């Protein structure tokens, strides 16, 4: 066999190893999560699952009669998954999120090829500690499915799916420029019309205060201590308090929030402008960069938010090579380590400075992604012949040999 044939065989074995590791990790964590809720102790009152159960059990109309921090699509899922107690809610949620996980894998394979799906399974392995116990993967599955449908020419369905993703979690708004850059006018129109209709129904049913409740997490003051500003305040010694099921530090003036929002809009616009001017075009890294800017500017940043980045990091993993892959892998790994440190009572109370250092490192890696994308001069593209390319349009499904 020639050296090139040996390298090809080695790549195939490496891909198989990543697939086995990814599937095994997801299957084991699914089993452990399900068992935890079905036969474990009662769910703690501070968990997401307890909050979901509380929302479903509260009498009255959400938004109007009691505040809810989740948009209507997420609220509908919470109502559907909720049981009479936290453990049953958790078990139902695990099954639901498994479906979303499989849907995300299918969408990545449909839009960008099986290797991208394998990369997603591997990169999400460090995040499995919270993957099946939150609802963040619902918006992820809808957003990835929407973009995959659009690049496959299913503009109407893709546009509606994008609107549903935004009404599940607001962050997919950052991905709407993909439709503009691709000149997918029909998808953009369907997405805008569906979003406008969905928002109208939301306000008509729940009142305009629902928009404020979601935007401010039920009017919760201060900075969440894992956010960019909050992590610095916490590292400098301030203690946090629990308000509306969120750990907060310091004071967050409205003008500071507005300034961060304006800066994030400028940064996100700069990322997508750079993406529109670069040839060959790509989707993965600019999407991760734009989402990172949004997350860093928000007063709330919790571990499950890292799930938002995972599918786009997998796409970037196949589009790029070299240091970008290491940066994305490091971001996923440190995010997983941070969750383990925060969930371990011993580490949290006996090694506070090391935990703070991990949190600051996670946020530094988040900031490094858009910095690298906006400042890099040389682009290191993948040489994998089956990796998605972006020549001609943003993402061609059939790659050229020059990719």
């Amino acid at each position: 066999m020639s050296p090139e044939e040996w390298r090809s065989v080695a790549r195939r074995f490496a891909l198989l190893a990543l697939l086995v590791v990814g599937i095994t990790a997801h299957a084991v964590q699914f089993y452990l999560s399900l068992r935890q809720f079905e036969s474990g102790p009662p769910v703690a009152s501070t968990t997401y699952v307890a909050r979901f159960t509380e929302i479903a059990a509260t009498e009255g109309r959400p938004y109007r009669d009691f505040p809810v921090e989740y948009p209507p699509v997420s609220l509908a899922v919470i109502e559907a998954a909720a049981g009479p107690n936290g453990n049953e809610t958790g078990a139902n949620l695990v099954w639901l999120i498994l479906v979303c996980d499989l849907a995300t894998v299918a969408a990545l394979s449909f839009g960008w090829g099986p290797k991208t799906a394998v990369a997603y399974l591997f990169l999400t392995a460090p995040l499995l500690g919270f993957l099946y116990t939150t609802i963040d993967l619902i918006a992820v599955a809808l957003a990835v499915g929407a973009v995959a449908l659009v690049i496959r020419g299913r503009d109407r369905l893709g546009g509606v799916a994008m609107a549903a993703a935004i009404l599940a979690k607001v962050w997919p708004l950052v991905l709407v420029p993909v439709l503009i850059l691709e000149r997918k006018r029909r998808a953009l129109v369907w997405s805008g019309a569906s979003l406008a209709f969905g928002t109208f129904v939301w306000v008509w049913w729940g009142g305009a205060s629902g928009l404020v409740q979601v935007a401010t997490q039920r009017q919760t003051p201060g900075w969440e201590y894992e956010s960019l500003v909050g992590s610095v305040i916490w590292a400098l010694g301030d203690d946090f308090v629990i308000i509306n099921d969120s750990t907060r530090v310091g004071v967050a003036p409205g003008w500071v929030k507005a300034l961060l929002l304006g800066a994030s809009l400028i940064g996100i616009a700069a990322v997508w402008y750079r993406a529109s001017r670069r040839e060959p075009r790509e989707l993965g890294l600019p999407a991760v960069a734009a989402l990172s800017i949004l997350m860093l500017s928000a007063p709330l940043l919790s571990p499950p938010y890292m799930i938002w980045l995972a599918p786009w990091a997998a796409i970037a993993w196949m589009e790029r090579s070299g240091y970008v892959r290491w940066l994305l892998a490091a971001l996923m790994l440190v995010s997983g380590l941070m969750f383990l440190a925060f969930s371990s009572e011993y580490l949290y109370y006996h090694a506070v400075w090391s935990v703070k250092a991990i949190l600051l490192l996670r946020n530094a890696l988040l900031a490094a992604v858009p910095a690298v994308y906006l400042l890099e001069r040389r682009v290191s593209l993948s040489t994998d012949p089956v990796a998605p390319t972006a020549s001609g349009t943003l993402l061609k499904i059939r790659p050229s040999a020059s990719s």
Side-chain angles (χ1 to χ4, degrees), residues 141-286:
L142 287 170
V144 175
V147 178
L149 286 167
V150 168
I151 66 173
R152 282 290 193 177
R154 313 285 180 85
D155 292 356
R156 294 180 180 178
L157 187 57
V160 173
M162 181 62 76
I166 296 170
L167 290 171
K169 286 279 189 177
V170 181
W171 64 262
L173 272 172
V174 172
L175 302 175
V176 171
V178 174
L179 309 182
I180 300 174
L181 295 180
E182 273 296 279
R183 297 183 177 88
K184 294 288 186 176
R185 184 178 302 176
R186 178 179 295 178
L188 187 62
V189 169
W190 275 88
S191 179
S194 301
L195 181 59
F197 177 75
T199 304
F200 171 78
V201 173
W202 177 13
V203 172
W204 169 77
W205 183 77
S209 63
L211 301 175
V212 179
Q213 294 166 24
V214 171
T216 62
Q217 200 195 14
R218 294 184 285 160
Q219 301 285 0
T220 304
W223 306 98
E224 205 274 337
Y225 77 123
E226 295 181 38
S227 65
L228 177 62
V229 178
S231 63
V232 175
I233 296 175
W234 185 52
L236 292 177
D238 280 22
D239 294 328
F240 57 78
V241 294
I242 298 178
I243 306 174
N244 291 337
D245 303 315
S246 180
T247 48
R248 298 287 172 138
V249 296
V251 179
W255 67 269
V256 176
K257 292 182 180 180
L259 184 63
L260 286 174
L261 177 60
S264 69
L265 293 177
I266 294 173
I268 292 168
V271 165
W272 289 117
Y273 177 77
R274 181 72 182 270
S276 69
R277 305 291 294 179
R278 175 173 286 173
E279 294 293 344
R281 293 188 186 177
E282 56 184 327
L283 171 63
L285 191 56

Side-chain angles (χ1 to χ4, degrees), residues 231 234-238 342 351-361:
S231 63
W234 185 52
L236 292 177
D238 280 22
F342 275 72
V352 174
W353 275 107
S354 63
V355 175
K356 291 180 178 180
I358 295 174
L359 174 57
L360 293 173
L361 176 59

Side-chain angles (χ1 to χ4, degrees), residues 29 33 36-37 48-49 52 90 93-94 97 128-135 339:
Q29 186 58 51
S33 299
Q36 172 189 351
F37 290 118
Y48 290 103
V49 173
F52 300 157
L93 182 67
V94 170
I97 298 304
L128 288 173
F130 47 80
L131 187 73
Y132 292 110
T133 56
T134 67
I135 60 172
F339 177 76

Side-chain angles (χ1 to χ4, degrees), residues 111-135:
W112 297 274
K115 289 188 176 183
T116 306
V118 173
Y120 165 81
L121 290 172
F122 179 73
L123 288 173
T124 50
L127 310 180
L128 288 173
F130 47 80
L131 187 73
Y132 292 110
T133 56
T134 67
I135 60 172

Side-chain angles (χ1 to χ4, degrees), residues 46-59:
T46 56
T47 62
Y48 290 103
V49 173
R51 174 59 182 158
F52 300 157
T53 307
E54 178 187 5
I55 290 173
T58 304
E59 295 183 359

